[in-house]
Amino acid sequence: EAQLEESGGGSVPAGGSLRLSCVAHRPTTCMAWFRQVPGGERTGVAAIDSDGITYYDDSVKGRFAISKDNIENTLYLQMNSLKLEDTGMYYCATDYCPREKHWLLIHRYFNYWGQGTQVTVSA
């Protein structure tokens, strides 16, 4: 099995909502969501640390919410008020929690990744 497995992507009109899920088949501490468009960098969307503190990129603040079910070891990303620029492949990642939390929205920090789920927002 893959160590992380995303689901919940799809096509949605602008202004709509989606909820992404990521099942982790390994122990997790810090977890995060990233997104990427073809030819672009993989950029941080949201993260949650071992204390349940959340971190968001400014582009999604107030619209997206990250959460984790610690019993099922599943990460979620609730996405509301979706915009065209939210389109991309969404990936979940996990690793140990760093001392400096700014690393949680930087993709090269994480060593364990899922294969991604596509989100397409239409006009």
Side-chain angles (χ1 to χ4, degrees), residues 51-66:
D51 295 317
I53 306 299
T54 57
Y55 307 84
Y56 296 95
D57 183 75
D58 287 342
S59 66
V60 307
K61 199 171 298 180
R63 299 188 297 120
F64 291 10
I66 188 171

Side-chain angles (χ1 to χ4, degrees), residues 38-101:
E41 293 188 355
R42 191 170 298 188
T43 59
V45 176
I48 185 166
D49 69 17
S50 56
D51 295 317
I53 306 299
T54 57
Y55 307 84
Y56 296 95
D57 183 75
D58 287 342
S59 66
V60 307
K61 199 171 298 180
R63 299 188 297 120
F64 291 10
I66 188 171
S67 61
K68 185 183 178 186
D69 183 328
N70 289 310
I71 303 301
E72 299 295 330
N73 211 26
T74 302
L75 182 72
Y76 300 98
L77 184 66
Q78 179 66 48
M79 305 186 294
N80 298 323
S81 302
L82 283 161
K83 304 175 179 179
L84 265 61
E85 52 262 44
D86 295 318
T87 292
M89 186 72 75
Y90 282 69
Y91 300 88
C92 65
T94 190
D95 216 315
Y96 68 90
C97 288
R99 178 151 48 87
E100 299 295 333
K101 296 301 191 294

